[in-house]
Amino acid sequence: MRPPLLHARCPELTGSLPFLRLGEAPTPVRPLPALGTRAELWIKDESGYGNGGWGGNKVRKLEWLLPEARRRGARTILTVGGLGTNWGLAAACYARETGLGVALGLIDHPVDEHVRAQLERLRASGATLHFLHSKNRLILAAPWLFARHTRGRSLPYYLPAGGSSPLGTLGAVEIALELGAQVEAGTVPEPAWLVTPVGSGGTAAGLALGLRLTGMRTRVLGVVVNDTLRLDRTALLGLARRSAALLRARGADLGGAVPAPGSIRTETAWLGDGYAHPTRAGDAALARASAEAGLTLERTYTAKALAALLALDAAGRLEGGPVVFLHTHGPR
Ligand SMILES: Cc1ncc(COP(=O)(O)O)c(C=O)c1O
C-alpha cells in the first residue's frame, strides 16, 4: 500500500494517525486547453479515485475516517446528507468493505434523474436509510438515531454532512500535497488558483491547509453550492485550523503552518435557488465540458464550480497564473 504523503511530510503521524488506501494515487493532472480560457487551465482529476463502487473526493475522506471508526471500536457510521448524497453512497460502499455498517439520516431537496439514480444506488448499498425530510426533524431525531444504532457498548461513529470533520478534511490535505509533488516534479506549473465546489467545506478547507504545507502560493477558489450550512471563508478557515490542531494533537510538527485568510476565496453567485437546484450557467458549463473536453460533470457540484471558473476567467477575475480545476465527481 502506498503510504499517504502526509505521513511522509510528518513521519511522527505514522503510528498515531491510521490510514487506509482506497484508490490509486496520485490522481492525474493534465492541461485542459479545449475550454478556451484566458488563464492556462489544468484539471486534477479525482473522478477515477477509489477502488470500490463509487469514486471522487469523498473516498479521500474515508481513507482517514474508516480506520478511525475501527480504532474507536465502532460498528456503525452514522451520518447525514441530502437524498442524492454522494458522501453517503461512498461511505456505504467503502464501509461495507471494512465490515462497518452505515446509517444515513436523509433530508429532502429537488429530485431529478441523477438524484433518483443515486437513491437507487443508496438502497442497493446496504446502508440503513432514515428519511427525515428536513434539517429540523433530523436534529430532533438525533438522540433516537444514536440509540437505534448503538450495539451493546459500541456507539455509532457520528460524522457530519459530507464527512467534513477535522479528520475527514485530511483527505483534501492529501490531494494538495499530491499536487505539490506534481508541481515539484514539473508535471504541472504552480497554479495561482485551485478551484473546487464547496458542499460541506472539508475539501476547500483541506486544500488550503495542504497547500500551506507545500509552501506554494496557490489560493483556493471555493464555489459554494450549498445554502444549508455556513460555508463562508471564516467557517472554512476555522475547519482548516481544527484539522491542523488535530494533526498537532497527534504529534505532528507543523511549525506555524495555518492557512492565511487570503488563501481561500469563496464565491456564492453560482448557487442559484439553492442546494441541488440546477442553474442555467451550470447546465451550460456541463454541456461544454462534455462536448469540448470529454468531462462528465453533474449539476449539483462540479457544473456550478466550472461555470464560476469560466465566468470569472472571462471577466479577468482569475488573475495571477495557471488555474487548476479539481474534478471531484466519481460515478461508477
Ligand atoms: C461531487 C462532489 N464534489 C464536491 C463536493 C464538495 O466537497 P465538500 O463536501 O468537501 O465541500 C461534494 C460533496 O459535498 C461532491 O459530492
Side-chain angles (χ1 to χ4, degrees):
M1 180 185 88
R2 200 186 175 100
L5 295 177
L6 189 56
H7 284 174
R9 163 73 172 71
C10 306
E12 57 282 13
L13 290 173
T14 308
S16 62
L17 195 66
F19 177 83
L20 175 67
R21 177 70 72 191
L22 296 171
E24 293 294 317
T27 53
V29 281
R30 57 177 192 277
L32 207 58
L35 292 174
T37 48
R38 291 155 58 138
E40 188 186 332
L41 181 59
W42 291 69
I43 182 172
K44 181 155 173 70
D45 193 352
E46 291 291 300
S47 66
Y49 196 78
N51 302 321
W54 191 253
N57 64 332
K58 302 304 183 193
V59 184
R60 300 280 198 162
K61 299 179 180 181
L62 290 162
E63 293 185 319
W64 300 99
L65 294 170
L66 293 179
E68 175 67 14
R70 285 202 304 218
R71 196 180 72 93
R72 290 170 181 229
R75 287 157 66 179
T76 306
I77 287 177
L78 173 62
T79 188
V80 296
L83 290 176
T85 175
N86 293 329
W87 154 243
L89 184 58
C93 292
Y94 290 89
R96 195 175 48 197
E97 284 182 20
T98 58
L100 287 157
V102 168
L104 289 171
L106 297 173
I107 61 175
D108 293 344
H109 58 68
V111 174
D112 62 10
E113 275 314 303
H114 169 74
V115 175
R116 256 188 287 277
Q118 283 290 93
L119 261 173
E120 282 316 305
R121 291 187 190 107
L122 280 171
R123 286 201 166 95
S125 71
T128 306
L129 309 183
H130 299 283
F131 294 92
L132 293 159
H133 306 295
S134 70
K135 203 170 167 179
N136 279 347
R137 286 182 62 175
L138 181 65
I139 292 166
L140 287 174
W144 177 82
L145 285 172
F146 251 89
R148 160 84 173 68
H149 292 286
T150 296
R151 297 273 175 279
R153 287 171 46 196
S154 167
L155 297 176
Y157 181 29
Y158 173 74
L159 292 169
S164 287
S165 65
L167 185 66
T169 293
L170 299 182
V173 170
E174 190 65 18
I175 296 174
L177 293 178
E178 240 176 69
L179 181 64
Q182 288 165 319
V183 168
E184 211 170 297
T187 313
V188 54
E190 180 173 326
W193 295 99
L194 178 53
V195 180
T196 183
V198 179
S200 61
T203 303
L207 291 175
L209 177 57
L211 289 167
R212 178 77 180 80
L213 296 177
T214 67
M216 298 197 297
R217 282 171 316 213
T218 309
R219 298 171 67 194
V220 175
L221 175 69
V223 181
V224 178
V225 300
N226 187 356
D227 54 347
T228 69
L229 297 171
R230 187 178 157 206
L231 292 167
D232 55 22
R233 183 167 71 168
T234 308
L236 298 178
L237 286 166
L239 180 53
R241 286 201 191 97
R242 291 203 302 282
S243 288
L246 170 86
L247 292 177
R248 289 197 180 92
R250 298 280 177 109
D253 178 8
L254 302 181
V258 283
S263 61
I264 302 182
R265 166 172 150 196
T266 53
E267 293 284 344
T268 53
W270 280 268
L271 173 67
D273 288 338
Y275 178 64
H277 288 258
T279 59
R280 236 186 251 176
D283 286 353
L286 181 146
R288 272 192 70 190
S290 168
E292 296 168 29
L295 298 179
T296 306
L297 307 184
E298 45 56 68
R299 299 167 98 189
T300 300
Y301 302 97
T302 43
K304 289 180 180 178
L306 186 65
L309 185 162
L310 295 174
L312 292 168
D313 171 77
R317 292 183 54 213
L318 274 188
E319 65 296 334
V323 174
V324 173
F325 175 66
L326 188 71
H327 187 2
T328 49
H329 177 55
R332 293 284 188 275

